[in-house]
Amino acid sequence: MNSHNHIWFPYTQMANAPAPLKVIKADGLYLYLEDGRKIIDGISSWWTCLHGHCHPRLMEALRQQTTKLDHVIFAGFTHQPAEDLASELVKIAPWNDAKVFYSDNGSTAVEIAIKMAIQYQINTGNEHKTKIATLKGGFHGETFGSMALAGKDGFFKPFKKYLFEVVELDVFSDDFEKQLEEAFSDGDIAAFIYEPLLMGTSGMRIYPASKINQIIDNCQKHGALAIADEVLTGFGRTGSLMASDQAELKPDIICLAKGLTGGVMPLAVTLATPFVYQAFFGKDLSNALLHGHSYTANPLSCAVALENLKIIQTPEALSRIQNISAYHRNFAPKIQAKFGERIHVRFVGTVMAIEMQGIEGSYFNPIRAKIYDYFLANGILMRPLGNVFYLLPPYCISTEELDFVYEKIISFLHAHVE
Ligand SMILES: Cc1ncc(COP(=O)(O)O)c(C=O)c1O
């Protein structure tokens, strides 16, 4: 019996899954395995790790906080790390005087945003605004509310009949503006939630900032709230601190998680504009946002996130992000030219994706396992999304290490698309 035999792993067919790899240490770009191997974390451990594993400043911030306060109920009580972090988050929010609602993962940040939007409409006398609009193929998390926002025929099929209906618009279609006009014409959209610039889980699909402006413009005209799900895109992934920074119009609510603590501790926030916050004011409790979690604003997580916010805003972090972006920008056209129509290469900021053409794009496609195994055998963790594989590295990756990964990408393609 293996020591992992008592564990039911996520996204895993336990009947035939290969034995999981045991990680005993992580440092910078690398995961160190019990069997002696050293693996490049090409996907930043589910898109969380920003600067590299066990970053000394983040570890030190955590150590310091462990000497002061572990955890405390966050209703009726507050603490310094949560207050300091909120003050810093307000500075990077696109509006003055944002309000920070804490939770502990991306899905809950989204649940809270949706609950805020629905109740905002009720509290402001717009009960008829009941619908949520989303982008077709979007992904917003694993809880029932966030599952409802995504396409329901893939992963979420078993739960389909329990998930509320949403209005889905195709951001890649030529008539997106027309779809927006139609969707908003009945005046019943409460909120529009979207992954800004980069739709991660559905295959690292990238759309221009002008589409964000179109979404927000329609929201503003029709009294709907625009919710930017920056759970993946936040903290430099798309080149700017937030993907929303690349659009002129600003959302009303922003969800952040994953990179918020640099990939060290679970923490999430839902940021709201002051006018959303003020709609929850009232004489009694029924107007308030009645939501919270046991580990809301965990002090250890907040302390690490505060340090991460300092690091991510240093010129050094910015230049690392710019270097990775420039490297991808240079490499992408080269392999596109080399493999022509057999692949589609795309990139935004620090993320580069390669879609293998002529292969069905489902997450259940066996090509997934082939890609995964190939890169792992070459010392790189890649976790493909069906026929799409991508590099989403911690920002500490060097140009030599990028060259190494690129070289393996080319050799994989030579072996599999020629
Ligand atoms: C855009 C987006 N929103 C929300 C989530 C859910 O985050 P979590 O896995 O922390 O619940 C994800 C996860 O991949 C995501 O990519």
Side-chain angles (χ1 to χ4, degrees), residues 47 105-108 110 139-142 195 201 229 231-232 257-258:
W47 317 343
N105 62 71
S107 307
T108 54
V110 167
F139 179 85
H140 300 282
E142 307 284 2
E195 294 161 87
T201 303
D229 178 351
V231 167
L232 160 62
K258 292 195 185 281

Side-chain angles (χ1 to χ4, degrees), residues 179-193:
Q179 290 182 34
L180 281 167
E181 279 162 23
E182 269 171 30
F184 280 97
S185 63
D186 290 339
D188 55 2
I189 303 285
F192 198 125
I193 183 161

Side-chain angles (χ1 to χ4, degrees), residues 74-75 82 85-87 89-90 95 97-106 108-116 119 253-257 260 267-273 276-277 280 287-298 302:
F74 202 64
L85 176 59
S87 308
L89 286 167
V90 165
W95 339 275
D97 204 18
K99 296 293 168 188
V100 179
F101 198 102
Y102 282 108
S103 62
D104 45 27
N105 62 71
T108 54
V110 167
E111 292 286 334
I112 291 162
I114 296 295
K115 285 173 80 170
M116 267 180 194
Q119 196 177 340
I253 297 176
I254 297 178
C255 307
L256 297 170
L260 177 58
L267 186 71
V269 291
T270 308
L271 304 179
T273 53
V276 170
Y277 172 70
F280 288 76
N287 287 93
L289 184 58
L290 300 178
H291 187 107
H293 297 276
S294 317
Y295 285 98
T296 290
N298 173 260
C302 289

Side-chain angles (χ1 to χ4, degrees), residues 45 47-50 52-55 58-63 65-66 69-71 85 103-106 235 256-269 295 297-308:
S45 281
W47 317 343
T48 60
C49 180
L50 288 188
H53 288 275
C54 290
H55 191 285
L58 298 179
M59 295 295 111
E60 182 55 23
L62 179 58
R63 259 193 301 275
Q65 185 56 35
T66 59
L69 173 65
D70 52 354
H71 186 59
L85 176 59
S103 62
D104 45 27
N105 62 71
F235 306 104
L256 297 170
K258 292 195 185 281
L260 177 58
T261 63
V264 176
M265 299 286 286
L267 186 71
V269 291
Y295 285 98
N298 173 260
L300 301 170
S301 301
C302 289
V304 176
L306 183 61
E307 192 63 15
N308 173 47

Side-chain angles (χ1 to χ4, degrees), residues 331-346 352-359 367 371 375 387-389 406 409-418:
F331 176 68
K334 287 189 189 150
I335 46 163
Q336 185 66 75
K338 198 174 181 68
F339 293 96
E341 288 172 359
R342 287 160 295 172
I343 59 169
H344 180 247
V345 187
R346 44 190 180 254
M352 185 181 64
I354 292 150
E355 178 165 348
M356 298 171 70
Q357 303 292 348
I359 297 175
I367 188 72
I371 303 172
F375 283 99
N387 61 337
V388 178
F389 60 98
Y406 290 168
I409 290 174
I410 291 172
S411 59
F412 171 80
L413 291 172
H414 271 311
H416 290 88
V417 302
E418 283 187 338

